[in-house]
mmCIF file of all heavy atoms in Angstrom:
data_model
loop_
_atom_site.group_PDB
_atom_site.id
_atom_site.type_symbol
_atom_site.label_atom_id
_atom_site.label_comp_id
_atom_site.label_asym_id
_atom_site.label_seq_id
_atom_site.Cartn_x
_atom_site.Cartn_y
_atom_site.Cartn_z
ATOM 1 N N GLY A 39 -8.713 7.781 19.538
ATOM 2 C CA GLY A 39 -9.629 8.285 18.526
ATOM 3 C C GLY A 39 -10.517 9.370 19.108
ATOM 4 O O GLY A 39 -10.487 9.633 20.311
ATOM 5 N N SER A 40 -11.318 9.985 18.262
ATOM 6 C CA SER A 40 -12.118 11.110 18.751
ATOM 7 C C SER A 40 -13.355 10.626 19.502
ATOM 8 O O SER A 40 -13.965 11.375 20.257
ATOM 9 C CB SER A 40 -12.538 11.988 17.570
ATOM 10 O OG SER A 40 -13.111 11.188 16.563
ATOM 11 N N ASP A 41 -13.731 9.355 19.329
ATOM 12 C CA ASP A 41 -14.972 8.864 19.928
ATOM 13 C C ASP A 41 -14.706 7.977 21.130
ATOM 14 O O ASP A 41 -15.523 7.135 21.481
ATOM 15 C CB ASP A 41 -15.762 8.088 18.876
ATOM 16 C CG ASP A 41 -14.865 7.066 18.173
ATOM 17 O OD1 ASP A 41 -13.696 6.931 18.585
ATOM 18 O OD2 ASP A 41 -15.338 6.408 17.230
ATOM 19 N N GLU A 45 -7.186 4.136 17.523
ATOM 20 C CA GLU A 45 -6.845 4.059 16.113
ATOM 21 C C GLU A 45 -5.379 3.644 15.997
ATOM 22 O O GLU A 45 -4.638 3.679 16.976
ATOM 23 C CB GLU A 45 -7.049 5.424 15.438
ATOM 24 C CG GLU A 45 -8.474 5.946 15.506
ATOM 25 C CD GLU A 45 -9.445 5.191 14.607
ATOM 26 O OE1 GLU A 45 -8.980 4.397 13.758
ATOM 27 O OE2 GLU A 45 -10.661 5.385 14.757
ATOM 28 N N LYS A 56 3.929 4.866 -2.159
ATOM 29 C CA LYS A 56 4.364 6.219 -2.484
ATOM 30 C C LYS A 56 5.660 6.591 -1.795
ATOM 31 O O LYS A 56 6.388 7.453 -2.266
ATOM 32 C CB LYS A 56 3.270 7.215 -2.101
ATOM 33 C CG LYS A 56 2.496 7.662 -3.324
ATOM 34 C CD LYS A 56 1.980 9.055 -3.141
ATOM 35 C CE LYS A 56 1.832 9.747 -4.462
ATOM 36 N NZ LYS A 56 1.040 10.962 -4.334
ATOM 37 N N CYS A 82 20.015 5.146 2.492
ATOM 38 C CA CYS A 82 19.182 6.259 2.972
ATOM 39 C C CYS A 82 20.037 7.488 3.256
ATOM 40 O O CYS A 82 21.130 7.389 3.806
ATOM 41 C CB CYS A 82 18.453 5.838 4.243
ATOM 42 S SG CYS A 82 17.445 7.148 4.943
ATOM 43 N N ASP A 84 18.507 10.282 4.749
ATOM 44 C CA ASP A 84 17.780 11.040 5.778
ATOM 45 C C ASP A 84 17.124 12.304 5.256
ATOM 46 O O ASP A 84 17.171 13.356 5.894
ATOM 47 C CB ASP A 84 18.719 11.406 6.944
ATOM 48 C CG ASP A 84 19.243 10.167 7.633
ATOM 49 O OD1 ASP A 84 18.480 9.186 7.698
ATOM 50 O OD2 ASP A 84 20.399 10.168 8.071
ATOM 51 N N CYS A 85 16.519 12.217 4.093
ATOM 52 C CA CYS A 85 15.799 13.390 3.588
ATOM 53 C C CYS A 85 14.358 13.403 4.086
ATOM 54 O O CYS A 85 13.689 14.437 4.047
ATOM 55 C CB CYS A 85 15.819 13.402 2.071
ATOM 56 S SG CYS A 85 14.865 12.067 1.336
ATOM 57 N N HIS A 86 13.870 12.258 4.523
ATOM 58 C CA HIS A 86 12.518 12.115 5.096
ATOM 59 C C HIS A 86 11.401 12.370 4.092
ATOM 60 O O HIS A 86 10.251 12.553 4.475
ATOM 61 C CB HIS A 86 12.318 13.028 6.323
ATOM 62 C CG HIS A 86 13.447 12.961 7.289
ATOM 63 N ND1 HIS A 86 13.835 14.015 8.067
ATOM 64 C CD2 HIS A 86 14.315 11.962 7.576
ATOM 65 C CE1 HIS A 86 14.879 13.673 8.798
ATOM 66 N NE2 HIS A 86 15.190 12.432 8.512
ATOM 67 N N THR A 89 8.300 10.144 4.180
ATOM 68 C CA THR A 89 7.208 10.408 5.136
ATOM 69 C C THR A 89 6.137 11.300 4.502
ATOM 70 O O THR A 89 4.994 11.303 4.938
ATOM 71 C CB THR A 89 7.710 11.085 6.428
ATOM 72 O OG1 THR A 89 8.136 12.418 6.123
ATOM 73 C CG2 THR A 89 8.869 10.324 7.045
ATOM 74 N N VAL A 90 6.521 12.031 3.468
ATOM 75 C CA VAL A 90 5.557 12.878 2.775
ATOM 76 C C VAL A 90 4.598 12.019 1.946
ATOM 77 O O VAL A 90 3.442 12.355 1.743
ATOM 78 C CB VAL A 90 6.296 13.874 1.856
ATOM 79 C CG1 VAL A 90 5.305 14.666 1.032
ATOM 80 C CG2 VAL A 90 7.181 14.803 2.668
ATOM 81 N N CYS A 92 3.519 9.024 2.670
ATOM 82 C CA CYS A 92 2.688 8.071 3.414
ATOM 83 C C CYS A 92 1.532 8.752 4.125
ATOM 84 O O CYS A 92 1.735 9.679 4.908
ATOM 85 C CB CYS A 92 3.529 7.320 4.432
ATOM 86 S SG CYS A 92 2.556 6.063 5.281
ATOM 87 N N VAL A 93 0.325 8.269 3.859
ATOM 88 C CA VAL A 93 -0.842 8.835 4.530
ATOM 89 C C VAL A 93 -1.294 7.957 5.690
ATOM 90 O O VAL A 93 -2.352 8.183 6.270
ATOM 91 C CB VAL A 93 -2.013 9.030 3.550
ATOM 92 C CG1 VAL A 93 -1.696 10.147 2.582
ATOM 93 C CG2 VAL A 93 -2.310 7.751 2.796
ATOM 94 N N VAL A 98 8.242 6.750 9.606
ATOM 95 C CA VAL A 98 8.320 7.902 10.503
ATOM 96 C C VAL A 98 9.767 8.116 10.925
ATOM 97 O O VAL A 98 10.503 7.149 11.137
ATOM 98 C CB VAL A 98 7.449 7.649 11.763
ATOM 99 C CG1 VAL A 98 7.448 8.862 12.662
ATOM 100 C CG2 VAL A 98 6.028 7.281 11.376
ATOM 101 N N ARG B 53 28.698 10.483 1.036
ATOM 102 C CA ARG B 53 27.830 9.524 1.702
ATOM 103 C C ARG B 53 27.132 8.613 0.687
ATOM 104 O O ARG B 53 26.922 7.436 0.945
ATOM 105 C CB ARG B 53 26.788 10.299 2.497
ATOM 106 C CG ARG B 53 25.753 9.415 3.138
ATOM 107 C CD ARG B 53 24.971 10.227 4.117
ATOM 108 N NE ARG B 53 23.919 9.438 4.716
ATOM 109 C CZ ARG B 53 23.085 9.912 5.610
ATOM 110 N NH1 ARG B 53 23.201 11.169 6.003
ATOM 111 N NH2 ARG B 53 22.157 9.157 6.118
ATOM 112 N N GLU B 69 11.935 -4.446 -17.659
ATOM 113 C CA GLU B 69 10.665 -4.956 -17.140
ATOM 114 C C GLU B 69 9.488 -4.121 -17.610
ATOM 115 O O GLU B 69 8.409 -4.632 -17.858
ATOM 116 C CB GLU B 69 10.682 -4.830 -15.623
ATOM 117 C CG GLU B 69 10.715 -6.103 -14.872
ATOM 118 C CD GLU B 69 11.075 -5.777 -13.430
ATOM 119 O OE1 GLU B 69 10.364 -4.964 -12.804
ATOM 120 O OE2 GLU B 69 12.094 -6.320 -12.964
ATOM 121 N N GLU B 299 3.870 13.240 -7.902
ATOM 122 C CA GLU B 299 2.410 13.339 -8.012
ATOM 123 C C GLU B 299 2.001 13.760 -9.429
ATOM 124 O O GLU B 299 1.123 13.148 -10.049
ATOM 125 C CB GLU B 299 1.943 14.381 -6.989
ATOM 126 C CG GLU B 299 0.464 14.646 -6.953
ATOM 127 C CD GLU B 299 -0.292 13.586 -6.176
ATOM 128 O OE1 GLU B 299 0.377 12.714 -5.579
ATOM 129 O OE2 GLU B 299 -1.525 13.618 -6.197
ATOM 130 N N LEU B 323 5.575 21.933 0.395
ATOM 131 C CA LEU B 323 5.679 20.869 1.380
ATOM 132 C C LEU B 323 7.105 20.379 1.377
ATOM 133 O O LEU B 323 7.659 20.131 0.311
ATOM 134 C CB LEU B 323 4.717 19.809 0.879
ATOM 135 C CG LEU B 323 4.557 18.470 1.517
ATOM 136 C CD1 LEU B 323 3.176 17.991 1.141
ATOM 137 C CD2 LEU B 323 5.552 17.510 1.026
ATOM 138 N N THR B 325 10.331 18.221 3.828
ATOM 139 C CA THR B 325 10.938 17.687 5.035
ATOM 140 C C THR B 325 12.401 18.041 4.920
ATOM 141 O O THR B 325 12.947 18.092 3.830
ATOM 142 C CB THR B 325 10.819 16.169 5.089
ATOM 143 O OG1 THR B 325 11.293 15.637 3.852
ATOM 144 C CG2 THR B 325 9.390 15.740 5.296
ATOM 145 N N HIS B 332 15.463 17.494 12.553
ATOM 146 C CA HIS B 332 14.421 17.128 11.613
ATOM 147 C C HIS B 332 13.395 18.247 11.566
ATOM 148 O O HIS B 332 12.883 18.671 12.597
ATOM 149 C CB HIS B 332 13.786 15.834 12.128
ATOM 150 C CG HIS B 332 12.512 15.450 11.455
ATOM 151 N ND1 HIS B 332 12.461 15.110 10.130
ATOM 152 C CD2 HIS B 332 11.252 15.320 11.927
ATOM 153 C CE1 HIS B 332 11.216 14.793 9.815
ATOM 154 N NE2 HIS B 332 10.459 14.920 10.877
ATOM 155 N N VAL B 376 8.175 14.859 15.913
ATOM 156 C CA VAL B 376 7.787 13.841 14.939
ATOM 157 C C VAL B 376 6.424 14.206 14.361
ATOM 158 O O VAL B 376 5.479 14.486 15.103
ATOM 159 C CB VAL B 376 7.729 12.452 15.603
ATOM 160 C CG1 VAL B 376 7.198 11.411 14.625
ATOM 161 C CG2 VAL B 376 9.115 12.059 16.084
ATOM 162 N N GLY B 380 2.915 13.321 5.362
ATOM 163 C CA GLY B 380 1.932 12.837 4.393
ATOM 164 C C GLY B 380 0.499 12.968 4.905
ATOM 165 O O GLY B 380 -0.421 13.279 4.147
ATOM 166 N N ARG B 398 -7.633 19.115 20.878
ATOM 167 C CA ARG B 398 -6.710 17.989 20.902
ATOM 168 C C ARG B 398 -5.702 18.089 19.763
ATOM 169 O O ARG B 398 -4.532 17.740 19.917
ATOM 170 C CB ARG B 398 -7.472 16.664 20.818
ATOM 171 C CG ARG B 398 -6.784 15.567 21.579
ATOM 172 C CD ARG B 398 -7.779 14.763 22.375
ATOM 173 N NE ARG B 398 -8.812 14.245 21.509
ATOM 174 C CZ ARG B 398 -8.729 13.048 20.905
ATOM 175 N NH1 ARG B 398 -7.674 12.298 21.085
ATOM 176 N NH2 ARG B 398 -9.709 12.628 20.164
ATOM 177 N N ALA B 409 -5.129 9.655 14.179
ATOM 178 C CA ALA B 409 -6.436 9.070 14.485
ATOM 179 C C ALA B 409 -7.448 9.438 13.407
ATOM 180 O O ALA B 409 -8.227 8.600 12.953
ATOM 181 C CB ALA B 409 -6.915 9.531 15.857
ATOM 182 N N SER B 412 -6.561 7.321 10.288
ATOM 183 C CA SER B 412 -6.810 5.896 10.503
ATOM 184 C C SER B 412 -8.298 5.612 10.428
ATOM 185 O O SER B 412 -8.746 4.667 9.793
ATOM 186 C CB SER B 412 -6.249 5.480 11.860
ATOM 187 O OG SER B 412 -6.828 4.284 12.292
ATOM 188 N N ARG B 413 -9.078 6.482 11.016
ATOM 189 C CA ARG B 413 -10.519 6.338 11.000
ATOM 190 C C ARG B 413 -11.045 6.412 9.566
ATOM 191 O O ARG B 413 -11.884 5.620 9.145
ATOM 192 C CB ARG B 413 -11.122 7.471 11.820
ATOM 193 C CG ARG B 413 -12.491 7.196 12.276
ATOM 194 C CD ARG B 413 -13.056 8.402 12.989
ATOM 195 N NE ARG B 413 -14.490 8.231 13.015
ATOM 196 C CZ ARG B 413 -15.099 7.407 13.834
ATOM 197 N NH1 ARG B 413 -14.412 6.736 14.727
ATOM 198 N NH2 ARG B 413 -16.395 7.247 13.791
ATOM 199 N N TRP B 415 -9.524 5.600 6.933
ATOM 200 C CA TRP B 415 -9.137 4.455 6.103
ATOM 201 C C TRP B 415 -9.926 3.220 6.443
ATOM 202 O O TRP B 415 -10.024 2.315 5.636
ATOM 203 C CB TRP B 415 -7.636 4.161 6.277
ATOM 204 C CG TRP B 415 -6.771 5.274 5.816
ATOM 205 C CD1 TRP B 415 -5.856 5.963 6.546
ATOM 206 C CD2 TRP B 415 -6.750 5.870 4.506
ATOM 207 N NE1 TRP B 415 -5.284 6.942 5.794
ATOM 208 C CE2 TRP B 415 -5.811 6.908 4.540
ATOM 209 C CE3 TRP B 415 -7.446 5.625 3.328
ATOM 210 C CZ2 TRP B 415 -5.546 7.702 3.432
ATOM 211 C CZ3 TRP B 415 -7.193 6.412 2.229
ATOM 212 C CH2 TRP B 415 -6.247 7.430 2.285
ATOM 213 N N ARG B 416 -10.421 3.134 7.669
ATOM 214 C CA ARG B 416 -11.042 1.873 8.062
ATOM 215 C C ARG B 416 -12.348 1.647 7.324
ATOM 216 O O ARG B 416 -13.014 2.544 6.908
ATOM 217 C CB ARG B 416 -11.239 1.843 9.573
ATOM 218 C CG ARG B 416 -10.028 1.221 10.241
ATOM 219 C CD ARG B 416 -10.318 0.773 11.637
ATOM 220 N NE ARG B 416 -10.589 1.867 12.554
ATOM 221 C CZ ARG B 416 -11.766 2.104 13.108
ATOM 222 N NH1 ARG B 416 -12.794 1.350 12.823
ATOM 223 N NH2 ARG B 416 -11.922 3.106 13.927
#
Side-chain angles (χ1 to χ4, degrees):
Chain A
S40 50
D41 49 5
E45 300 288 348
K56 258 210 152 166
C82 178
D84 297 326
C85 68
H86 313 149
T89 69
V90 174
C92 184
V93 290
V98 184
Chain B
R53 175 168 177 180
E69 248 166 56
E299 179 80 6
L323 175 156
T325 51
H332 168 65
V376 175
R398 213 136 56 91
S412 161
R413 200 184 162 76
W415 297 122
R416 269 198 293 112

